[in-house]
Amino acid sequence: MTRSYCNNAKVAVLGASGGIGQPLSLLLKNSPLVGELSLFDIAHTPGVAADLSHIETRAHVTGYMGPDQLNAALKGCDVVVIPAGVPRKPGMTRDDLFNTNATIVATLADAVARNCPEAMICIIANPVNSTIPITSEVMKKYGVYNPNRVFGVTTLDIVRANAFVAELKGLDPARVNVPVIGGHAGKTIIPLISQATPKVEFPADQLSALTARIQDAGTEVVKAKAGAGSATLSMAYAGARFTFSVLDAMNGKEGVVECAYVRSEETECKYFSTPLLLGKHGIEKNLGLGKLSAFEENLVADAIGELKGSIKKGEDFVANMK
């Protein structure tokens, strides 16, 4: 896009009335990086927008409700964040959400392709391992796919890894950075503890338990909420963190690095999450997997099969769409 952002970006949240959408919209409204906040959902958006519009920050908030207002919600957007869809209940995997959320994401991606094809697209809707291939294939149908602008938001895995490592080592979590690569479900979530800053070391059994806790952290919340949903507040925080990084980079800030699940040549998987250097036009450089420990190499090898299956499932869904 040609216009300069100057901390005045127009950001859309699709699914703004939901459990993630509301706190995410609050965090975005609170940011000086956002000039316009466009909130879309199938219900309750006028109320959420009215409520947020009373906050004393300069982002101008507009609410849009229902399919006939979706196009208007997306006009001129620089960044589109998509937390829409249904959450997990106890006993469900992220893949169990596929049928419902695949249709929702495909519909929303279609509208993005028609109304703001150059926007940065940040997908939170699960299963992310499949919804990113879905978004990409829909954009391709319109001839507007840009792999540097489509992101699966895995930031919550990094946030959790940072929090858990800090807790175990008595560190300030704000100073801990653990890259997490692969995908965003179960064993496809691969925390690279060996690359953590500051450097930390764990005995093998503790490392194994820590890795499993990071991989299953979403389920930990689903169980604790006992049927009332999945991670919403921590996911809103992570979604906002990622969106702010994208906006900072679009504004010309140097050295902005975030992990995200994107089109990739780093492994044999067509999509894979690794640390990315972000820039004015999205991904500036994929920083790759870096040096892995033997333990981490095994985790990667273990994840490839499941990831490939999830990617194919997403691609097939769009290929078979009416």
Side-chain angles (χ1 to χ4, degrees):
M1 291 190 167
T2 45
R3 71 190 176 85
S4 114
Y5 298 98
C6 320
N7 296 356
N8 207 25
K10 181 170 183 182
V11 179
V13 178
L14 308 184
S17 305
I20 298 165
Q22 289 202 42
L24 173 60
S25 299
L26 171 62
L27 292 167
L28 294 172
K29 170 67 173 126
N30 202 30
S31 168
L33 296 170
V34 179
E36 280 186 76
L37 191 53
S38 177
L39 307 182
F40 172 83
D41 213 320
I42 54 172
H44 310 304
T45 0
V48 174
D51 196 352
L52 287 175
S53 73
H54 294 179
I55 292 172
E56 54 183 354
T57 55
R58 63 188 192 86
H60 182 260
V61 185
T62 317
Y64 300 87
M65 188 167 73
D68 51 338
Q69 295 189 7
L70 178 55
N71 293 334
L74 289 166
K75 285 278 182 284
C77 285
D78 303 304
V79 178
V80 179
V81 191
I82 307 187
V86 294
R88 287 197 286 163
K89 296 242 184 331
M92 290 175 81
T93 66
R94 288 182 179 88
D95 193 57
D96 291 334
L97 305 173
F98 184 91
N99 292 335
T100 307
N101 288 1
T103 305
I104 292 169
V105 170
T107 304
L108 297 174
D110 187 280
V112 172
R114 288 181 288 103
N115 291 287
C116 53
E118 294 192 2
M120 305 292 175
I121 308 173
C122 308
I123 306 278
I124 293 169
N126 273 314
V128 166
N129 291 356
S130 300
T131 55
I132 286 299
I134 288 170
T135 302
S136 304
E137 292 302 311
V138 170
M139 301 298 280
K140 283 180 195 172
K141 281 192 168 180
Y142 285 91
V144 295
Y145 176 54
N146 181 340
N148 296 322
R149 292 175 182 260
V150 180
F151 303 94
V153 180
T154 62
T155 315
L156 183 50
D157 298 324
I158 291 86
V159 166
R160 285 166 166 158
N162 294 348
F164 300 166
V165 166
E167 192 181 358
L168 287 170
K169 292 292 185 190
L171 299 165
D172 173 3
R175 300 184 56 125
V176 176
N177 183 33
V178 181
V180 181
I181 64 169
H184 183 59
K187 68 176 184 182
T188 69
I189 298 168
I190 303 160
L192 302 183
I193 307 293
S194 75
Q195 294 182 23
T197 51
K199 195 163 169 45
V200 290
E201 287 188 9
F202 296 97
D205 56 337
Q206 201 179 12
L207 177 63
S208 184
L210 170 62
T211 299
R213 188 181 176 206
I214 294 164
Q215 291 175 331
D216 298 334
T219 306
E220 190 179 305
V221 176
V222 170
K223 283 181 180 166
K225 289 198 174 182
S230 56
T232 54
L233 301 170
S234 53
M235 185 60 248
Y237 167 84
R241 172 182 143 166
F242 185 77
T243 305
F244 298 150
S245 289
V246 168
L247 289 169
D248 275 338
M250 288 168 84
N251 283 330
K253 185 175 175 181
E254 307 258 314
V256 179
V257 175
E258 289 281 1
C259 296
Y261 181 70
V262 297
R263 181 77 179 85
S264 173
E265 305 292 335
E266 300 300 316
T267 67
E268 57 193 276
C269 290
K270 208 185 279 190
Y271 298 86
F272 202 84
S273 179
T274 45
L276 309 168
L277 178 64
L278 301 176
K280 288 188 175 177
H281 308 290
I283 302 171
E284 196 156 290
K285 186 172 187 228
N286 191 319
L287 303 177
L289 287 72
K291 190 174 182 321
L292 305 185
S293 68
F295 175 71
E296 291 159 355
E297 280 183 356
N298 285 334
L299 293 176
V300 171
D302 270 353
I304 299 287
E306 182 181 325
L307 262 179
K308 281 184 170 172
S310 299
I311 291 164
K312 185 175 188 316
K313 190 170 178 177
E315 291 178 337
D316 289 350
F317 177 82
V318 178
N320 298 322
M321 259 171 28
K322 294 287 174 280

